[in-house]
Amino acid sequence: MPLPFLTADRAFETADDIALPFDDRDHWRRPYRPGPWRVGTAALLLLLASYVLFAAVIIALTGSVSEGGVVFGAALAVIAVSLRLLRVGVWVSARGVRHVGFFRTRTVRWEQVVAVRTVQQPVRWLGLPRTVQGQALTVVRRDRAAEDTSPLLTTHNADFLGRTEAFDRAADSVEAWGAEYQRG
């Protein structure tokens, strides 16, 4: 019994220019995968939250329900922190580019963008005050000076530390979104 969907010798359709039904350019999407540092930290926080939740159940069953509720609230806070940590990064859509930080989110519409470019500059290592020489993806806006730009992505942040090829692909992808929507 032939299984044509499992073989590599069947002819593929060449309709590459047709957008897929789920490819909606108006939805915010991250043009890269979260890095291992970010995912590992979030996984460890979720592991800690599971232990704290287990402790909350034990405290609620053996001791005071209010103390168990406090510990349960602490576990929910740890879960919220880990989920927010996974949300941090750069998101793009047809409307603009969005830089999601841990505490704040900045959105720049494509009409305000003059250029999206990769520059060689000192960058922060894993968000700490220590700086090292690296590359950064910056957005130059119409209402600000070219020197007054904060980097969107760097080669030494939690998503791209030790993954320069992934940084290059992500930077190229964001630059391509910018080139496409700055004209249009």
Side-chain angles (χ1 to χ4, degrees), residues 96-118:
V97 60
R98 179 174 286 174
H99 184 240
V100 177
F102 192 77
F103 293 112
R104 78 176 171 174
T105 300
R106 294 178 312 218
T107 303
V108 179
R109 299 188 60 77
W110 290 120
E111 294 86 29
Q112 298 173 338
V113 173
V114 175
V116 180
R117 60 181 170 217
T118 304

Side-chain angles (χ1 to χ4, degrees), residues 139-154:
V139 171
V140 180
R141 297 172 50 173
R142 293 188 198 284
D143 57 349
R144 296 198 181 161
E147 297 83 26
D148 188 28
T149 59
S150 62
L152 294 177
L153 304 171
T154 66

Side-chain angles (χ1 to χ4, degrees), residues 68-160:
V70 169
V71 175
F72 181 74
L76 289 180
V78 171
I79 291 170
V81 164
S82 66
L83 292 178
R84 183 64 181 179
L85 186 63
L86 288 174
R87 184 92 174 134
V88 168
V90 174
W91 299 76
V92 292
S93 79
R95 290 174 271 177
V97 60
R98 179 174 286 174
H99 184 240
V100 177
F102 192 77
F103 293 112
R104 78 176 171 174
T105 300
R106 294 178 312 218
T107 303
V108 179
R109 299 188 60 77
W110 290 120
E111 294 86 29
Q112 298 173 338
V113 173
V114 175
V116 180
R117 60 181 170 217
T118 304
V119 294
Q120 190 84 10
Q121 69 180 27
V123 296
R124 296 173 75 181
W125 185 76
L126 288 177
L128 299 172
R130 178 177 178 232
T131 59
V132 294
Q133 191 63 26
Q135 292 182 339
L137 180 72
T138 60
V139 171
V140 180
R141 297 172 50 173
R142 293 188 198 284
D143 57 349
R144 296 198 181 161
E147 297 83 26
D148 188 28
T149 59
S150 62
L152 294 177
L153 304 171
T154 66
T155 53
H156 290 79
N157 67 3
D159 289 322
F160 301 110

